[in-house]
């Protein structure tokens, strides 16, 4: 099935540096909704065995909801296969488990990552949004990710998890390493490895993060507080605490996913809204539509582009036979624009209803942090949109080179300067 490069390439991470490949997705949905994709060599990364690209909404949802057919555990959840020696460790992360093991760990997080616990941080999140916008208000222009939105979720997540303020710079470094590994600005090269790239998700490359997680957990057990890390470090299920690898993998999941989902969604939503001035002005005139607008921003710019599963048994999807062991990759950025689910999908409409996008996933692995993500998006947009009502794009975005995260590295914006609130 591999060999000749296919006419449709939804694997190459450089494709996504230009934005969502709408025309390619549209043709795949119409002509080849489950399409064999060559996993070709890219910038020193070796070729892989290939995978089935799933692009229609209904098929994406079926894959995400049916772990008995499409497993997260067999080969983990990233397109590129992990090294065989790393797979047993990687499988201990909740993201890479199937029921019933997945349910046991998810119940632990569900008990500590509750809407009630999250809501306690609402005032702090809103205050932080005001402070960050205040810092750029008088400039008249800024680079939104660098100056504002990269910092916002890191500090919010640090509060939620109980990471000391002096340690929070690690979060950005860890996230760039793990999420940005396909991007030349963040790629890791190891001397003695032929000068080629290395997988930052291997246990060896994550040793510093895991060591920090263990030390932080030990501190929380000695001096418990009301944060999520204390709850995880002291939680018990069936009479036992989390093992060190389980706790380390929980920390990895919360730090990386909890940060980068919001970090990608914030500027992505601004690109969507400011790229449609009529809808921007409509929202300014009708602030009560903000929640609906946020859902449309998430549909338009899904933070996560793709997730991988592995076929457990021989099966058929959209008429296409799939063999046990084949990789199956769902593409959120295509599902969110499926004409069969979203009428006129290329129309940005802040009142779209229904709007059941899959930007936070679906099925047993639906994002546990979606409530906290929406809380942060709401606080930030309330602050910046009405504080700087004439904000507009001042240049094209510089997007992350990644087939996994729809990251935005730089986004120049301009606006009429306003006084700092602190100066009033």
């Amino acid at each position: 099935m591999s060999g000749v490069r296919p006419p449709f390439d939804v694997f190459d991470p450089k494709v996504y540096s230009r934005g969502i490949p709408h025309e390619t997705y549209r043709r795949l949905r119409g002509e080849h909704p489950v399409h064999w994709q060559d996993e070709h060599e890219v910038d020193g990364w070796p070729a892989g065995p290939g995978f089935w690209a799933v692009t229609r909404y209904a098929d994406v949802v079926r894959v995400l909801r049916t772990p008995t057919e499409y497993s997260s555990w067999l080969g983990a959840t990233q397109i590129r296969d992990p090294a065989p020696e790393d797979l047993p460790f990687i499988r201990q992360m909740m993201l890479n488990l199937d029921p019933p093991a997945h349910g046991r760990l998810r119940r632990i997080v569900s008990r500590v990552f509750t809407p009630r616990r999250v809501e306690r941080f609402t005032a702090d999140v809103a205050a932080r949004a005001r402070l960050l916008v205040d810092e750029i208000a008088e400039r008249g222009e800024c680079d939104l990710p660098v100056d504002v939105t990269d910092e916002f979720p890191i500090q919010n997540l640090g509060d939620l998890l109980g990471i000391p303020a002096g340690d929070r710079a690690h979060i950005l470094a860890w996230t760039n390493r793990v999420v940005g590994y396909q991007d030349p600005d963040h790629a890791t090269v190891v001397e003695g490895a032929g000068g080629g790239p290395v997988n930052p998700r291997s246990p060896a490359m994550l040793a510093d993060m895991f060591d920090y997680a263990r030390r932080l957990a030990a501190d929380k057990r000695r001096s418990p507080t009301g944060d999520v890390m204390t709850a995880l470090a002291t939680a018990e299920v069936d009479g036992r605490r989390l093992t060190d690898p389980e706790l380390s993998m929980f920390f990895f999941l919360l730090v990386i996913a909890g940060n980068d989902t919001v970090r990608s969604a914030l500027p992505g939503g601004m690109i969507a809204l400011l790229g449609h001035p009529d809808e921007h002005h409509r929202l300014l005139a009708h602030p009560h539509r903000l929640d609906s607008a946020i859902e449309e921003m998430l549909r338009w710019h899904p933070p996560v582009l793709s997730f991988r599963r592995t076929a457990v048994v021989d099966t058929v999807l959209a008429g296409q036979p799939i063999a046990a062991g084949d990789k199956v990759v769902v593409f959120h950025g295509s599902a969110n624009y499926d004409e069969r689910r979203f009428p006129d999908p290329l129309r940005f409409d802040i009142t779209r209803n229904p709007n059941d996008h899959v930007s936070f996933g679906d099925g047993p692995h639906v994002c546990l942090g979606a409530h906290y993500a929406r809380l942060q998006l709401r606080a930030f947009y309330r602050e910046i949109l009405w504080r700087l009502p004439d904000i507009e794009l001042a240049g094209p975005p510089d997007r992350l080179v990644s087939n996994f995260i729809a990251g935005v590295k730089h986004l120049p914006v301009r606006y009429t300067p306003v006084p700092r609130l602190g100066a009033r």
Side-chain angles (χ1 to χ4, degrees), residues 295-350:
E295 297 308 311
E296 182 70 341
M297 293 181 207
L298 287 166
R299 183 190 73 88
W300 193 266
H301 182 99
V304 178
L305 294 165
S306 66
F307 259 117
R308 173 254 183 100
R309 299 291 189 266
T310 304
V312 179
V313 295
D314 292 348
T315 185
V316 177
L317 185 64
Q320 174 63 56
I322 295 175
D326 283 355
K327 287 196 280 191
V328 178
V329 178
V330 298
F331 286 86
H332 303 265
S334 177
N336 280 359
Y337 288 84
D338 189 348
E339 304 83 351
R340 297 152 194 81
R341 191 71 179 190
F342 302 97
D344 195 6
L346 291 176
R347 177 172 56 88
F348 182 79
D349 179 4
I350 65 168

Side-chain angles (χ1 to χ4, degrees), residues 387-409:
R387 181 92 178 276
L388 307 174
D390 64 350
I391 190 170
E392 62 180 5
L393 300 176
D398 181 8
R399 303 177 189 272
L400 188 71
V401 178
S402 174
N403 57 18
F404 176 46
I405 292 292
V408 180
K409 297 185 291 185

